Amino acid sequence: MTTMLISTAQLAQHLTDPDWIIFDCRHDLMDAGKGERVYREGHIPGAYLANLDIDLSGEKTGRNGRHPLPSPAAFTAFFARHGVTNTSTIVAYDDVGGQFASRLWWLARWIGLPSVLLLDGGIPKWIAEARTLSREVPVPMHIHNRIHDGIPQSAPLQGHADPLMVVSADEVKSRLGDTTAMLLIDARAAERYRGEVEPIDPVAGHIPGAYNRFYKENLNPDLTLRSVDDLHASFSQTLGATPARRVVHQCGSGVTACANIFAMEYAGLKGSQLYAGSWSEWVSDPARPVATGSER
């Protein structure tokens, strides 16, 4: 097992381990009810539902994007309600190659939890291998009641957000055109980046100077992640001489961008940042510049 990915076979060995907490992150940006619907139809046994709009996002103001970050306290409380402690191993999965599971991975890392894994291939691989599904909604054991085999109960979860992992719209705007300060990577599909279509946000196009790298470029056809060497070579082509710590990731609303952050970290290119508000926040202010076409 790597420190970031877990296989279906490895996860199957830990389904009854109380120190392993699994989250089902399935979602559809065009169908907000899909996640809960498919979860109730069948999920990996013991998995809890993590709703993108409710659990993995904060309050929207109309100016902070479609999926603003939750407050560190709110996200820590969500984890704590599901039995997560500072020593838990957290596993996240979805059905689209990590588009939504990587958001939970990023948030967990953001509040300081190091042991968080993505299920390689997600639930499609689990189902393809004819592994067991459950319709039972697990009841979380409250953290203060978790005593196993005489082991003292775990301490309450402590989460502290790392401000260096996030950049604001103002910071992005101030760095536009300065390639020594920022390399901006847009994780959306190419046609959205170019401004040819925009199915979700009110303005089409991209942030001027951004490179386009669709998050699905990180995946094999079966939705497993490409190899470390493959990803390293691919990202290195985009980065050139730019160090990873100067890279800022964005997408439509700060969700898919986390998949590119995950892939870079997995490839050993550590320290890149997230513009959490992303395109949906950027275009909420008409004074911010917009570009169309293929810049990169």
Side-chain angles (χ1 to χ4, degrees), residues 2-25:
T2 72
T3 57
M4 294 177 66
L5 277 181
I6 185 170
S7 71
T8 50
Q10 290 164 332
L11 180 58
Q13 297 172 5
H14 291 278
L15 293 184
T16 59
D17 188 332
D19 294 320
W20 284 59
I21 314 293
I22 308 169
F23 290 97
D24 185 321
C25 303

Side-chain angles (χ1 to χ4, degrees), residues 269-288:
L269 300 166
K270 300 181 183 297
S272 60
Q273 298 174 296
L274 174 68
Y275 169 31
S278 286
W279 182 247
S280 56
E281 178 186 54
W282 188 263
V283 299
S284 70
D285 182 349
R288 295 184 185 125

Side-chain angles (χ1 to χ4, degrees), residues 138-251:
V139 177
M141 273 189 289
H142 193 276
I143 193 170
H144 297 296
N145 295 329
R146 293 183 62 200
I147 302 175
H148 306 293
D149 300 322
I151 299 173
Q153 58 194 33
S154 302
L157 179 65
Q158 299 294 321
H160 304 283
D162 182 353
L164 297 180
M165 292 175 62
V166 189
V167 298
S168 68
D170 287 342
E171 289 174 302
V172 170
K173 188 174 181 180
S174 71
R175 300 177 194 176
L176 291 182
D178 185 351
T179 56
T180 64
M182 178 183 70
L183 189 156
L184 190 61
I185 296 180
D186 186 328
R188 295 175 300 162
E191 61 271 21
R192 287 187 69 195
Y193 166 84
R194 291 191 297 263
E196 296 166 4
V197 298
E198 183 43 69
I200 305 175
D201 295 309
V203 179
H206 60 266
I207 299 173
Y211 283 72
N212 182 220
R213 182 189 173 82
F214 190 26
Y215 87 95
K216 288 188 177 180
E217 293 180 34
N218 303 322
L219 304 173
N220 295 308
D222 65 353
L223 300 182
T224 57
L225 201 65
R226 290 162 61 184
S227 71
V228 168
D229 290 344
D230 199 5
L231 287 169
H232 190 280
S234 178
F235 272 104
S236 295
Q237 267 193 320
T238 300
L239 270 59
T242 304
R245 67 181 181 278
R246 300 286 186 230
V247 175
V248 173
H249 294 271
Q250 52 96 185
C251 54

Side-chain angles (χ1 to χ4, degrees), residues 125-136:
K125 192 169 190 293
W126 185 273
I127 292 171
E129 295 167 347
R131 298 186 185 275
T132 301
L133 292 176
S134 173
R135 292 185 176 180
E136 181 181 352

Side-chain angles (χ1 to χ4, degrees), residues 67-144:
H67 295 106
L69 295 181
S71 72
F75 187 65
T76 299
F78 163 72
F79 264 175
R81 287 196 302 273
H82 293 84
V84 174
T85 72
N86 289 88
T87 58
S88 296
T89 296
I90 303 161
V91 180
Y93 71 84
D94 58 33
D95 57 358
V96 286
Q99 177 182 3
F100 304 110
S102 61
R103 169 76 166 213
L104 185 143
W105 167 84
W106 187 92
L107 288 168
R109 297 280 295 271
W110 179 53
I111 65 168
L113 301 182
S115 187
V116 53
L117 312 170
L118 292 195
L119 179 62
D120 200 19
I123 199 167
K125 192 169 190 293
W126 185 273
I127 292 171
E129 295 167 347
R131 298 186 185 275
T132 301
L133 292 176
S134 173
R135 292 185 176 180
E136 181 181 352
V137 177
V139 177
M141 273 189 289
H142 193 276
I143 193 170
H144 297 296

